[in-house]
Amino acid sequence: MLLPVFAPSIAPGPLPRGSRYTFTVDSLLLTSARTLSDLLSHIPGVYVVRGGWFGQAEIVLYAGRGPASLEVYWDGVPYLPLGRDSLYLDPARIPLAPLERIDVLLLPAALQVYLVTAGPRSTATRTMVGILTGNQDIAEYRGGYATRTRSGFGAALIANWNSIGSGLAGNTTTPFGESDIWLKFDYVPPGGRVGASFQVLSSSWHRAASSTGPVEGWRQDRSERLLRMFIAQRDDGLGLRLTTTLATTSISHDTLIGTRTVSSAQIEASQTWRHANIVGIARAGAGRLPRQLEARGGWMPFSAFTVAGAIRQSFYDGQRAGLRGFVSAGLVLPLGFSGRVEGAWQHDVQAPFIVGDSVQQAADVAAWLRFDHRRLTIEVGRGRRDPFAPLGFAEGIGPVDSLRPTAPTEFVAAHGSLELLPGLRLSGWYYNPVTGGGDFEPPQHARLSAAFYSKFWRVYKSGIFALRAEAAVESWSRSRFGGLDVDSARTVARAINGASFVDTNLELQLAGVTLFWTVQNINLMRSSYLEGLGFPKSAQQYGARWFFTN
């Protein structure tokens, strides 16, 4: 028996075609991504500055905007960097295990990432067990349990533990350990017009420093607590809906800073029609969290035209205020073609908790042309971005502590997929800042994947068997813009060496069991994602995950 659950907290639609990337449970399970940074590398133009292999910093950079290029929301609540990482968010430290969906809204110079936690829909109890091992003593142990009663009460628990040992000479992957415990209680009765949810996420990690200095040691515990309630006019998703959220985030046991706690309250009111949606959000915070007023909406006046947009006013500590927004419009054309134009502007800060961060103004535009066919999808675009001065750089990447200001930039991008044969598909993306550009925006940056996926229906009519094999290559050309290392005596300008990393992923599903074998850097590249840091050769990991219905 299936029961209603909380509506996912994502960017409301309708949205123009091609403006949103969605990763579902199946795509999360059948990719080699172990971290959110891995997953975001599928987005055109994203460069992940990797401090090494698993457990090291994986900073996502996009469009030369530093910390302003990435916004992350956990069930609709902003997931902000705290403590020593109060400038840049490291997406590799956000656990994927509790998530059932990830939406990425692509803007000309920013990514909005919406993380949706799982909620048990079925009254059949579900259990999950996972194990992983591989090179460098890497290990993962995962256990999960979810249940739902006919009255609408549900409970879910996931415990995840990861570790890795020290690497060989030239490999800057240091020993690392992480544990995540996620517990969630839901109550949504069969009518689906009211509901409440409470969840706790406790994450603890400890990264050892390297003996030569490029990797900094880091220990921290982070805890998230969310209480959500909603009331809806109708049970089919249409009509008026009111959602309230109380959230608390705390960090402790950091090796450099003391315990810190921030809290927020959020009220969201939405009205949904069959072809339109409007949302209003008010957020208030304690512990120097900003106060925000936000409005979002989308409208499809007729089937071939869609317009969407958002605007947000923020008030920060230190008498600072910011305003940012975007608007996009899409038109469906004959013969499978469609077009999209989008613009974004900001008069805002980059880091809410850095009082010295001043307001910057920028406007960015882009236009895209798309073609959709049963076997072919391709989208090409060109855009322009204003100059921008990124603030500082992320903790955990020792060789770089700041980024250069970016000049006015024009970029071209493309992404698409082609089904060569039934089950065999090519997909990839390309991004090039043809003029301007900034640090970690290498020219000729591309990712190409060849994947075979089949459920072998004719042999196994019950559909219990599936096989997926993928080979992917990420490649970029050399760039002299690889960040700066500035101290009182000198300034060292880093570069990005051209490289092509090839990864493979093999997954076999048999009923509720998924077996996987992943190899990164299978072509034994001696290069790395950042000058001064190393990446292991032929880094392997393999394991299994079991799903039981009790």
Side-chain angles (χ1 to χ4, degrees), residues 476 496-501 521 524-529 533-535:
W476 59 84
I496 302 176
N497 295 319
S500 296
F501 285 91
N521 191 15
L524 306 179
M525 284 291 298
R526 296 179 179 273
S527 185
S528 62
Y529 294 83
L533 298 177
F535 196 83

Side-chain angles (χ1 to χ4, degrees), residues 41-60:
S41 67
H42 292 74
I43 307 299
V46 168
Y47 189 89
V48 182
V49 183
R50 300 181 185 270
W53 195 24
F54 180 76
Q56 310 309 298
E58 297 177 2
I59 307 303
V60 170

Side-chain angles (χ1 to χ4, degrees), residues 187-535:
Y187 177 69
V188 183
R193 295 175 58 182
V194 296
S197 171
F198 177 72
Q199 61 176 298
V200 177
L201 172 64
S202 178
S203 300
S204 176
W205 59 83
H206 184 194
R207 178 191 302 138
S210 62
S211 57
T212 56
V215 178
E216 302 172 359
W218 186 14
R219 178 182 176 182
Q220 189 178 99
D221 295 347
R222 177 165 177 150
S223 175
E224 312 281 343
R225 293 179 292 278
L226 272 72
L227 174 63
R228 305 172 66 208
M229 293 172 285
F230 81 90
I231 182 171
Q233 184 181 15
R234 299 172 51 162
D235 60 1
D236 58 359
L238 300 179
L240 183 65
R241 177 180 292 259
L242 183 66
T243 304
T244 60
T245 304
L246 299 176
T248 299
T249 302
S250 61
I251 58 169
S252 60
H253 300 103
D254 195 288
T255 50
L256 288 182
I257 63 172
T259 300
R260 183 179 183 186
T261 300
V262 296
S263 301
S264 66
Q266 176 175 302
I267 299 177
E268 176 180 323
S270 66
Q271 174 69 49
T272 303
W273 299 272
R274 293 195 179 276
H275 302 290
N277 174 272
I278 186 169
V279 179
I281 303 174
R283 300 186 182 99
R288 296 172 59 190
L289 283 178
R291 304 185 310 278
Q292 295 180 328
L293 297 174
E294 184 174 353
R296 290 178 172 268
W299 182 34
M300 185 184 293
F302 52 92
S303 59
F305 180 72
T306 305
V307 61
I311 188 168
R312 185 177 70 210
Q313 174 78 64
S314 302
F315 303 94
Y316 305 100
D317 191 42
Q319 303 298 316
R320 298 172 299 160
L323 180 68
R324 65 173 62 196
F326 77 91
V327 63
S328 62
L331 181 65
V332 178
L333 304 170
L335 303 177
F337 287 93
S338 61
R340 182 174 95 251
V341 294
E342 54 195 16
W345 70 95
Q346 67 174 43
H347 184 78
D348 208 352
V349 303
Q350 302 175 62
F353 299 113
I354 307 298
V355 178
D357 180 22
S358 59
V359 171
Q360 292 192 65
Q361 184 168 320
D364 316 292
V365 294
W368 302 84
L369 179 64
R370 183 183 179 97
F371 176 74
D372 288 285
H373 185 265
R374 183 171 58 89
R375 292 194 173 183
L376 172 66
T377 297
I378 186 169
E379 187 173 57
V380 296
R382 185 178 181 95
R384 181 192 60 79
R385 305 193 311 263
D386 275 353
F388 198 80
L391 184 64
F393 198 55
E395 292 288 342
I397 303 292
V400 172
D401 59 16
S402 59
L403 303 176
R404 301 173 178 85
T406 61
T409 300
E410 294 190 8
F411 66 89
V412 294
H415 67 93
S417 65
L418 171 65
E419 186 180 29
L420 298 176
L421 296 169
L424 180 61
R425 181 173 292 273
L426 291 177
S427 60
W429 57 261
Y430 171 81
Y431 192 92
N432 184 7
V434 290
T435 62
D439 285 310
F440 301 108
E441 267 194 293
Q444 314 299 334
H445 189 188
R447 186 182 189 274
L448 181 64
S449 163
F452 173 78
Y453 178 66
S454 176
K455 292 188 176 183
F456 296 95
W457 291 108
R458 296 179 181 178
V459 179
Y460 302 95
K461 293 184 179 180
S462 63
I464 66 170
F465 180 80
L467 174 68
R468 185 179 190 275
E470 179 185 21
V473 55
E474 184 181 5
S475 180
W476 59 84
S477 56
R478 178 177 173 81
S479 171
R480 60 189 180 91
F481 299 118
L484 301 173
D485 184 9
V486 181
D487 59 30
S488 58
R490 58 187 174 81
T491 298
V492 177
R494 303 288 181 184
I496 302 176
N497 295 319
S500 296
F501 285 91
V502 179
D503 304 333
T504 61
N505 180 38
L506 179 64
E507 307 224 10
L508 176 67
Q509 286 187 328
L510 184 60
V513 180
T514 301
L515 307 174
F516 56 90
W517 176 36
T518 300
V519 186
Q520 294 178 267
N521 191 15
I522 198 171
N523 56 330
L524 306 179
M525 284 291 298
R526 296 179 179 273
S527 185
S528 62
Y529 294 83
L530 173 64
E531 189 179 73
L533 298 177
F535 196 83

